[in-house]
Amino acid sequence: MFLTFEGIEGTGKSTQIRMLVEHLKRRGQDPLVTLEPGGSRVGRELRRMLLHLESRDITPETELFLYLADRAQHAAQVIRPALARGQVVLSDRYADSTVVYQGYGRGLEPRLLHQLNEVAVAGCWPDATILLDLEPEIGLNRAMARNLREGKAVEEGRFEAESLEFHRRVREGYLTWASLHQDRIFIVDATPGPDEVFDAVRAVMERARTRH
Ligand code: TYD
């Protein structure tokens, strides 16, 4: 089973993934946890280029192709082999991030981006996607506090430095995109505490499991 997590910065994706891993391990499974950008060896080099504050001069098209390159490598070299071994795969971001950030956020055409994603993933689509939804004001404050705490404000701060307006477009974009893919994308309210959010995440996973 392949599950992806989406949402704006600071929605608690990595906390929820950690909780789900613990849950699955208690049930005797050994899930593979991965992320984008940076889930493969090549991808880790791309991640540095994509997220460093010094990359502010990157054009929207260049950014798009770097994310797609990261994804093609990630799907082929990391996700597909793990699924073939029978592992559950959990990815912190995947194809929907490109449609939403480069499409609704930067203004490229979402349907074209979906087609380019089809090329990049080559059939490797998630069974379910959990969209953690949160007000951008709350999410950004959380993300900036985390970056300062972890000393990552420069190395990984390019998106946090975008305007609140950009993050509002991204949040709305996610909701629009989810409404077009209700069979796969499940919206979870990320406002409550982690335990309450996790109850909803687990319910989505159970649903995906029964369909799988
Ligand atoms: P990351 O530090 O992983 O942030 P988060 O903890 O919020 O996931 O940064 C990933 C950033 O890259 C995030 O701001 C969204 C952006 N992104 C895109 O713009 N397009 C993409 O296709 C992907 C995968 C990520």
Side-chain angles (χ1 to χ4, degrees):
M1 189 167 58
F2 178 23
L3 297 181
T4 63
F5 288 75
E6 295 282 352
I8 60 165
E9 278 72 3
T11 47
K13 293 187 295 297
S14 43
T15 303
Q16 291 303 319
I17 291 174
R18 260 199 310 276
M19 292 173 83
L20 188 52
V21 167
E22 288 311 312
H23 174 76
L24 290 169
K25 283 190 171 162
R26 278 195 300 273
R27 288 165 51 158
Q29 302 206 357
D30 175 30
L32 176 87
V33 178
T34 184
L35 85 171
E36 287 196 357
S40 64
R41 186 190 61 76
V42 168
R44 280 184 279 283
E45 296 188 29
L46 295 170
R47 179 178 177 95
R48 208 203 77 80
M49 285 185 225
L50 279 162
L51 301 187
H52 201 286
L53 264 184
E54 79 187 5
S55 300
R56 276 189 196 198
D57 62 346
I58 212 166
T59 74
E61 291 76 12
T62 306
E63 179 185 82
L64 165 68
F65 287 114
L66 292 178
Y67 278 117
L68 290 168
D70 174 65
R71 183 159 307 125
Q73 190 74 6
H74 189 209
Q77 290 220 315
V78 178
I79 298 172
R80 198 183 281 284
L83 293 172
R85 288 193 298 270
Q87 271 183 296
V88 173
V89 176
L90 309 176
S91 184
D92 185 343
R93 299 191 179 281
Y94 196 59
D96 301 308
S97 279
T98 295
V99 172
V100 171
Y101 280 80
Q102 281 61 60
Y104 295 102
R106 300 265 189 246
L108 301 174
E109 171 54 51
R111 268 171 315 180
L112 171 64
L113 301 185
H114 183 62
Q115 287 173 345
L116 292 171
N117 268 331
E118 298 264 19
V119 179
V121 308
C124 195
W125 282 102
D127 296 293
T129 296
I130 293 161
L131 170 57
L132 294 174
D133 180 53
L134 189 65
E135 291 283 346
E137 286 84 348
I138 306 176
L140 271 186
N141 279 337
R142 285 191 195 168
M144 285 197 260
R146 175 200 60 197
N147 282 354
L148 283 176
R149 206 171 48 238
E150 296 177 1
K152 289 185 176 167
V154 173
E155 288 90 343
E156 304 227 328
R158 189 164 70 91
F159 279 87
E160 284 79 352
E162 286 284 349
S163 66
L164 187 57
E165 203 35 58
F166 175 80
H167 288 97
R168 288 211 178 99
R169 283 203 302 279
V170 169
R171 195 262 184 122
E172 289 306 315
Y174 265 128
L175 294 174
T176 305
W177 190 243
S179 73
L180 298 173
H181 297 271
Q182 292 177 19
D183 53 328
R184 174 175 63 82
I185 306 178
F186 300 88
I187 302 171
V188 169
D189 180 10
T191 322
D195 290 332
E196 200 174 319
V197 175
F198 185 64
D199 286 340
V201 167
R202 210 173 46 190
V204 172
M205 189 204 58
E206 293 304 340
R207 224 164 121 180
R209 189 195 295 279
T210 51
R211 282 194 323 189
H212 184 67

